[in-house]
């Protein structure tokens, strides 16, 4: 039953990218369950579907992002632009909400995505406490927070000749694992990271979609550096709420995925998805296709429109490719991923290691093959393969059919490596389950978060 703590409203502001919308809406559901009323401010661009959330109030911002700006491949430019263009309309919107609601439901605080760093200044100007949601993992945030040090020590900007060098200050990372993004504006990227870190330090608290047993040392390190309270209350999507959560996918989920998985033996299928932003070349796409074909394992492959540079969808695939596999492969544009990972037929997740995908895989005890593309994905992948040891990493440059076939066989067949990985990931899955039970670390941290929100009121 929903806890009754009516009369307090929270304003939530998600970053309009799939990997950020999902955890923010999950968090909204959790806090609603805890008795708060929820107002969600969102951009017009990548707007969530309000009809899936009749229990929330939605306010749309005229963000002024043009279709050309929205379709850029340069994520850094888009994020910087969002921080500039949303500032005025966001401030106006929050100001009117705070004054409207004052008599009925006082607004306790703003909860904003960390990347919307401009919201700290807005919150301060309106004397509204701001809590930050960081949707990525704590371990990658440790690295972002260390960017000034990494520049001072000469690790950044990355030099091609030093890719294999260890970053001695941040084991087990190598220079090639540093969370950079290919952009036309590297200075803008560094400025963005600096702004995100400093606006987070100035906030009234930091919520994490992670759990203590997974990222204890990174969380401890951040607690030392940031003098704000931290609330690791994840995995968000596994909280047991009275209302079953609805999908927050921006693309339609293909409903053939689950019936297709139902026809496959337990733990036999490789699920392949590189998330919502990453893009690959046509050459890489074909190597993946042939690697999957040669592995002889069944596969469910998400090929998002836009995944392959220069292609609409599957045109680069040789004609008759899927037919020649006699039902062993299934390709969809977008899958109900959490349901797919929870399906007993899935034996491995070949992932780009976006944080949500990484956590969702851990929660279902599915071992990973890691192919990180950019940013935090590189750090997440290294933690998967070398710290938690729940997956194997396809090192960059190895997106080649023979290597792909080899790594799939190594993980899926009953070889020693694969078996050990399966044992470890199922232990981690148990820990993810336990932290949400009464007395578990995330359960307790959520209780602290609720008390903290009440303590913020003036
Ligand atoms: C982006 C960045 O790429 C990533 O580095 C950062 O950690 C979060 O933002 P994204 O590419 O969207 O992430 O990947 P991820 O974090 O894994 O989030 C994707 C979400 O979409 C997951 O919740 C996943 O379940 C969902 N998804 C993905 C689907 O529902 N269907 C799919 O077919 C693919």
């Amino acid at each position: 039953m929903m806890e009754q703590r009516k009369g307090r409203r929270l304003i939530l502001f998600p970053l309009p990218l799939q990997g950020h919308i999902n955890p923010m809406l999950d968090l909204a559901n959790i806090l609603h369950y805890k008795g708060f009323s929820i107002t969600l401010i969102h951009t017009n661009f990548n707007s969530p579907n309000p009809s899936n959330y009749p229990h929330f109030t939605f306010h749309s911002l005229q963000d002024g992002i043009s279709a050309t700006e929205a379709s850029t491949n340069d994520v850094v430019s888009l994020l910087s632009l969002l921080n500039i263009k949303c500032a005025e309309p966001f401030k106006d919107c929050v100001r009117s909400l705070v004054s409207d609601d004052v008599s009925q439901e006082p607004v306790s605080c703003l909860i904003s995505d960390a990347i919307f760093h401009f919201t700290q200044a807005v919150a301060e100007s309106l004397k509204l406490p701001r809590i930050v949601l960081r949707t990525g993992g704590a371990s990658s945030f440790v690295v972002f927070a260390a960017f000034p040090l990494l520049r001072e020590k000469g690790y950044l900007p990355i030099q091609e000749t030093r890719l294999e060098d260890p970053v001695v200050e941040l084991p087990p990372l190598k220079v090639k694992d540093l969370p950079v993004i290919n952009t036309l504006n590297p200075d803008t990227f560094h400025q963005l990271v600096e702004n995100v870190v400093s606006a987070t330090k100035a906030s009234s608290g930091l919520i994490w979609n992670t759990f203590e047993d997974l990222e204890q040392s990174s969380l401890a390190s951040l607690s030392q550096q940031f003098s704000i309270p931290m609330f690791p209350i994840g995995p968000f999507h596994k909280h047991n709420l009275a209302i079953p959560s609805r999908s927050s996918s921006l693309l339609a989920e293909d409903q053939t995925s689950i019936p297709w998985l139902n026809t496959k033996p337990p733990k036999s299928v490789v699920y392949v998805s590189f998330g919502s932003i990453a893009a690959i070349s046509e050459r890489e796409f074909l190597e993946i296709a042939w690697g999957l074909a040669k592995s002889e394992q069944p596969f469910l492959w998400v090929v998002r429109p836009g995944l392959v540079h220069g292609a609409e969808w599957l045109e680069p695939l040789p004609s008759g490719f899927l037919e020649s596999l006699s039902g062993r492969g299934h390709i969809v544009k977008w899958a109900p991923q959490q349901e797919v990972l929870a399906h007993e037929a899935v034996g491995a997740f070949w992932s780009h290691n976006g944080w949500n995908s990484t956590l969702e895989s851990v929660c279902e005890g599915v071992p990973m093959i890691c192919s990180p593309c950019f940013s935090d994905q590189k750090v997440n992948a290294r933690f998967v393969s070398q710290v938690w040891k729940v997956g194997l990493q396809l090192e960059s440059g190895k997106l080649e059919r023979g290597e792909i076939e080899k790594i799939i066989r190594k993980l899926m067949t009953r070889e020693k490596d694969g078996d050990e990985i399966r044992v470890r990931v199922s232990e981690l899955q148990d820990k993810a389950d336990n932290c949400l039970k009464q007395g578990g670390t995330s359960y307790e941290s959520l209780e602290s978060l609720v008390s903290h929100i009440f303590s913020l009121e003036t």
Side-chain angles (χ1 to χ4, degrees):
M1 225 199 45
M2 193 180 79
E3 291 183 17
Q4 290 306 315
R5 242 191 213 129
K6 279 283 170 220
R8 293 291 183 275
R9 181 164 290 277
L10 304 175
I11 299 178
L12 273 58
F13 187 37
L15 188 80
L17 297 177
Q18 187 73 76
H20 294 251
I21 293 171
N22 292 359
M24 184 63 94
L25 282 161
D26 284 341
L27 176 65
N29 275 326
I30 294 167
L31 292 170
H32 181 263
Y33 177 73
K34 284 289 178 189
F36 293 99
S37 299
I38 302 291
T39 292
L40 219 115
I41 301 181
H42 63 89
T43 53
N44 284 337
F45 163 61
N46 279 352
S47 153
N49 181 356
S51 65
N52 278 344
Y53 303 91
H55 47 309
F56 301 158
T57 308
F58 284 80
H59 286 269
S60 159
L61 287 189
Q62 298 298 326
D63 52 56
I65 302 284
S66 70
T68 324
E69 287 165 345
S71 61
T72 176
N73 288 327
D74 193 330
V75 186
V76 171
S77 306
L78 179 62
L79 298 180
S80 302
L81 203 62
L82 280 164
N83 268 288
I84 295 166
K85 290 207 169 183
C86 290
E88 278 311 308
F90 179 79
K91 188 171 180 178
D92 292 344
C93 183
V94 176
R95 191 192 286 118
S96 78
L97 286 172
V98 172
S99 50
D100 281 357
D101 285 354
V102 103
S103 52
Q104 306 156 5
E105 277 190 321
V107 176
S108 296
C109 69
L110 164 69
I111 301 182
S112 125
D113 190 291
I115 291 179
F116 270 138
H117 56 79
F118 79 87
T119 58
Q120 181 60 32
V122 173
E124 281 168 16
S125 72
L126 298 173
K127 299 201 170 19
L128 187 64
R130 168 181 180 255
I131 294 181
V132 168
L133 166 63
R134 174 58 191 161
T135 58
S139 306
S140 58
F141 207 69
V142 167
V143 188
F144 287 123
F147 265 28
L149 175 80
L150 295 169
R151 281 159 79 106
E152 190 189 305
K153 300 258 176 187
Y155 294 111
L156 291 175
I158 289 179
Q159 295 158 39
E160 288 297 311
T161 52
R162 296 193 59 190
L163 292 177
E164 295 297 329
D165 289 1
V167 179
V168 288
E169 293 80 0
L170 297 169
L173 300 185
K174 294 181 172 182
V175 168
K176 66 180 178 184
D177 303 322
L178 292 176
V180 294
I181 303 187
N182 269 339
T183 170
L184 294 172
N185 307 300
D187 288 342
T188 312
F189 175 57
H190 285 272
Q191 190 59 56
L192 180 72
V193 171
E194 208 177 303
N195 290 345
V196 167
V197 171
S198 62
T200 301
K201 283 184 173 163
S203 74
S204 301
L206 182 46
I207 302 173
W208 294 101
N209 186 13
T210 190
F211 55 101
E212 281 281 350
D213 273 344
L214 189 64
E215 297 198 280
Q216 201 158 33
S217 68
S218 303
L219 286 164
S221 152
L222 288 164
S223 285
Q224 276 186 349
Q225 298 173 54
F226 289 46
S227 50
I228 52 170
M230 304 228 177
F231 305 97
I233 63 167
F236 292 177
H237 69 291
K238 298 301 262 186
H239 277 256
N240 195 2
L241 310 177
I243 311 168
S245 66
R246 303 282 298 272
S247 161
S248 47
S249 278
L250 296 166
L251 297 173
E253 291 170 350
D254 186 297
Q255 295 307 325
T256 63
S257 308
I258 301 297
W260 183 84
L261 286 173
N262 288 341
T263 68
K264 299 293 174 255
K267 301 210 181 304
S268 65
V269 174
V270 181
Y271 169 60
V272 189
S273 169
F274 295 153
S276 67
I277 307 174
I280 56 176
S281 67
E282 190 172 317
R283 185 200 70 78
E284 291 171 320
F285 177 67
L286 289 173
E287 291 303 314
I288 294 173
W290 289 118
L292 288 168
K294 282 160 68 80
S295 77
E296 293 182 353
Q297 291 292 143
F299 62 87
L300 171 61
W301 184 10
V302 177
V303 180
R304 197 189 73 240
L307 172 71
V308 186
H309 287 301
E312 289 281 322
W313 192 38
L314 298 180
E315 316 85 89
L317 217 51
S319 67
F321 173 81
L322 274 181
E323 293 73 7
S324 72
L325 299 175
S326 319
R328 187 161 60 74
H330 190 54
I331 298 183
V332 297
K333 289 183 175 166
W334 193 252
Q337 180 165 303
Q338 293 175 5
E339 238 183 297
V340 165
L341 288 170
H343 196 286
E344 62 165 8
V346 172
F349 182 9
W350 181 3
S351 172
H352 71 315
N353 291 112
W355 182 248
N356 298 288
S357 293
T358 304
L359 198 59
E360 288 163 15
S361 205
V362 162
C363 288
E364 302 308 335
V366 176
M368 282 167 262
I369 295 171
C370 307
S371 283
C373 299
F374 62 85
S375 190
D376 63 324
Q377 299 161 15
K378 294 165 175 238
V379 179
N380 302 339
R382 193 58 71 200
F383 272 69
V384 166
S385 60
Q386 282 190 13
V387 178
W388 308 316
K389 299 192 169 99
V390 294
L392 298 171
Q393 183 153 350
L394 202 52
E395 296 299 336
S396 45
K398 295 263 176 96
L399 219 47
E400 184 275 319
R401 61 191 76 180
E403 293 294 332
I404 294 169
E405 177 191 354
K406 219 160 52 186
I407 206 165
I408 293 176
R409 286 181 189 277
K410 194 167 173 186
L411 190 60
M412 298 295 281
T413 55
R414 307 226 54 97
E415 281 184 27
K416 188 164 167 280
D417 284 2
D419 279 341
E420 286 176 358
I421 286 173
R422 274 182 285 278
V423 169
R424 278 191 293 266
V425 77
S426 100
E427 287 167 359
L428 215 44
Q429 178 187 19
D430 288 343
K431 289 179 177 168
D433 283 344
N434 289 333
C435 74
L436 295 176
K437 294 183 182 151
Q438 192 165 3
T441 55
S442 292
Y443 179 98
E444 294 301 328
S445 191
L446 176 58
E447 294 299 305
S448 310
L449 172 63
V450 171
S451 309
H452 181 62
I453 293 173
F454 276 97
S455 78
L456 292 171
E457 287 173 14
T458 46

